[in-house]
Amino acid sequence: MSTYHPLSEAQAIEYARQIPDLFQPESELTSQEIGDGNLNLVFRISEKTSGKSIILKQALPYAKVVGESWPLTLDRARIESEALIIEEGLVPDLVPHVYAYDADLALTVMEDLSDHIIMRRGLIERNEYPLFAEHIGRFMANTLFFTSDLGKNQQEKKIQQGRFINPELCKITEDLIFDDPYRDADTNSIEDQIRDAAEQLWADSELHLEVAILRQKFLTNAQALLHGDLHTGSIFIKPDSTKVIDPEFAYYGPMGFDIGAVLANLILNFAGQEGWSQDHESREAFRAYLLKTVKEVWTHFETNFRALWNEHGVDRVFQTPGYQDHFLKNLLQDTVGFTGAKMVRRIVGLAHVADIDKIEDNAARERAQRLALAIGTSCIRANRQVTSIDELIAIVTKESAVERGFVL
């Protein structure tokens, strides 16, 4: 019989008190429910005397964004905790430490990162993070390489892959990213002011072909253990530190999906500068920073990935001259395609991003939405021809100029 039940704040305190070597016996603990996501309860438990604190994250058996009518597996809590432990073994400075996992309560106890802020908020506030590109490039290079057939014993990889079969959360991705935005789905969330653009998406059969190719890769190309939802809302950050959180969508899939998710969210903020920058000069300056970061994320990833391959590659055949270049070329193309798909779904799909939705001025928000759709669809169309990260930058620059009435 299951002992699962959603914790109250008082129950979260009592649970935290039982964890060895964290808090003093009988000390005063406080709890705050801080979850603002769609799928979980999140408690911060603090000890007043020492200032020590931890996070208790409990999966709910349904999606908070919809309610109990959308049931979800609690096994995603196990997947998240195991993914974090694997990631900590590869990049210990870039993820929170996991203290404990409780299968009965679908509960993960982890390091508190309250001295960081969510990166999405930081970018909306127009903060710059000079170490982010190196940090996230290294995170993706290590986690993707060492969980793939390139850097892991291939039989052990198959066993590990079996532990990360994640059908329910993958189904969310499959529908919300690769299906619903391209039809008049009930789950879509579309503002009336861009309804015409959505209808163009639904009628564009050439675009649908590219989306179908990307969807097939997501469904079948089990290259590496992905975070699965690596957006700027899943990254805690401060100027000298980056921490990746929330890998509950983790599964074995195409590497470019994780990389594309990061780039897409940087570019969504680029589009959102229509509403967050106060004047043309500051807008262009911050957008230049964002595009520089997009390029540096890929460059740091590729540099680290190639170095890991050269030093730790486990397969003789994959050392064949020219194969590494072939692999990285295809990976860049996948990345650009998934970048576009992630952007499109954030404008017309179920769950949007604050970078754009929180823009109060209707005209500025519409400009941002249309720019994001233009960039996203252009990335999807171009993905199989791209040979350089500079071509992605050029797509963003061109569509931004077109939206402003200029022709490049």
Side-chain angles (χ1 to χ4, degrees):
M1 183 174 178
S2 172
T3 59
Y4 175 85
H5 60 278
L7 295 179
S8 66
E9 291 195 347
Q11 290 170 328
I13 288 174
E14 290 310 306
Y15 190 94
R17 202 181 290 283
Q18 300 169 22
I19 300 171
D21 304 321
L22 278 177
F23 299 119
Q24 295 297 316
E26 307 304 322
S27 65
E28 182 180 357
L29 301 182
T30 61
S31 172
Q32 181 183 12
E33 209 284 295
I34 59 171
D36 61 356
N38 296 324
L39 307 176
N40 309 286
L41 295 173
V42 182
F43 301 95
R44 176 182 291 126
I45 310 298
S46 304
E47 184 177 51
K48 284 193 173 183
T49 55
S50 67
K52 192 181 295 184
S53 60
I54 58 170
I55 295 295
L56 273 63
K57 180 176 179 180
Q58 184 180 33
L60 290 170
Y62 55 85
K64 281 171 66 179
V65 69
V66 175
E68 295 186 19
S69 63
W70 189 340
L72 288 174
T73 177
L74 294 175
D75 189 52
R76 69 184 193 274
R78 174 195 62 81
I79 286 174
E80 176 176 10
S81 67
E82 289 193 16
L84 282 171
I85 291 167
I86 289 170
E87 291 164 358
E88 185 177 11
L90 297 171
V91 279
D93 59 319
L94 299 177
V95 294
H97 175 65
V98 174
Y99 293 106
Y101 166 67
D102 187 319
D104 291 335
L105 289 173
L107 180 70
T108 304
V109 183
M110 68 186 83
E111 177 185 0
D112 181 19
L113 299 172
S114 56
D115 58 335
H116 295 59
I117 68 169
I118 289 292
M119 188 176 185
R120 190 179 306 286
R121 172 186 154 194
L123 291 179
I124 289 172
E125 295 173 354
R126 305 181 74 254
N127 297 322
E128 297 186 13
Y129 300 102
L131 300 182
F132 169 71
E134 188 279 323
H135 287 170
I136 202 67
R138 178 162 52 87
F139 172 87
M140 293 188 297
N142 279 269
T143 59
L144 297 177
F145 177 80
F146 282 115
T147 61
S148 77
D149 291 308
L150 303 171
K152 187 175 184 63
N153 174 279
Q154 290 149 0
Q155 284 65 50
E156 292 177 3
K157 181 235 180 182
K158 291 177 176 65
I159 294 170
Q160 180 167 284
Q161 183 179 340
R163 297 208 313 273
F164 288 94
I165 301 298
N166 198 353
E168 288 189 316
L169 269 65
C170 283
K171 175 63 172 171
I172 293 174
T173 303
E174 291 155 14
D175 290 347
L176 297 189
I177 298 180
F178 300 108
D179 186 358
D180 294 351
Y182 306 97
R183 63 188 180 96
D184 191 6
D186 292 341
T187 54
N188 287 339
S189 176
I190 305 163
E191 290 200 58
D192 289 342
Q193 62 193 16
I194 61 162
R195 180 81 183 184
D196 62 311
E199 290 175 350
Q200 289 176 16
L201 281 177
W202 302 337
D204 192 336
S205 59
E206 291 184 2
L207 186 71
H208 295 179
L209 171 60
E210 297 300 329
V211 173
I213 293 170
L214 291 167
R215 177 179 170 89
Q216 191 270 343
K217 290 176 180 178
F218 184 84
L219 288 168
T220 65
N221 196 357
Q223 286 181 319
L225 179 60
L226 306 188
H227 177 283
D229 199 26
L230 192 53
H231 53 73
T232 51
S234 296
I235 298 169
F236 268 117
I237 199 163
K238 56 182 182 176
D240 61 346
S241 177
T242 303
K243 300 283 187 177
V244 175
I245 62 170
D246 291 351
E248 60 194 318
F249 280 77
Y251 92 113
Y252 263 81
M255 296 181 184
F257 187 77
D258 267 6
I259 308 168
V262 173
L263 302 189
N265 279 265
L266 293 171
I267 300 170
L268 284 164
N269 187 269
F270 176 102
Q273 292 305 314
E274 290 293 327
W276 300 116
S277 297
Q278 299 304 310
D279 55 69
H280 175 75
E281 183 177 347
S282 64
R283 180 181 303 117
E284 294 309 300
F286 198 72
R287 282 178 165 173
Y289 156 73
L290 290 168
L291 290 189
K292 178 173 177 284
T293 303
V294 166
K295 182 172 181 176
E296 289 179 349
V297 167
W298 172 261
T299 301
H300 280 292
F301 165 79
E302 181 179 12
T303 299
N304 279 278
F305 196 86
R306 287 183 183 273
L308 293 172
W309 190 330
N310 292 338
E311 184 174 354
H312 300 288
V314 298
D315 191 294
R316 181 192 64 80
V317 177
F318 293 156
Q319 303 297 336
T320 302
Y323 180 69
Q324 188 179 108
D325 291 339
H326 168 81
F327 185 95
L328 267 296
K329 176 186 174 183
N330 288 338
L331 179 51
L332 175 62
Q333 292 174 347
D334 289 353
T335 294
V336 172
F338 289 126
T339 296
K342 294 285 279 187
M343 292 185 68
V344 168
R345 85 91 163 184
R346 290 295 194 176
I347 304 301
V348 300
L350 174 64
H352 295 185
V353 291
D355 311 62
I356 292 177
D357 267 25
K358 294 297 185 182
I359 297 172
E360 294 182 358
D361 181 84
N362 286 338
R365 189 172 65 256
E366 179 180 354
R367 290 196 302 273
Q369 291 167 332
R370 291 185 181 277
L371 176 56
L373 281 177
I375 295 169
T377 53
S378 291
C379 287
I380 293 170
R381 294 182 204 282
N383 80 95
R384 289 190 290 154
Q385 287 75 47
V386 167
T387 60
S388 165
I389 191 62
D390 290 326
E391 293 173 56
L392 172 58
I393 304 300
I395 289 171
V396 179
T397 303
K398 178 181 178 181
E399 295 301 341
S400 179
V402 170
E403 287 296 312
R404 287 181 288 140
F406 300 110
V407 178
L408 291 182

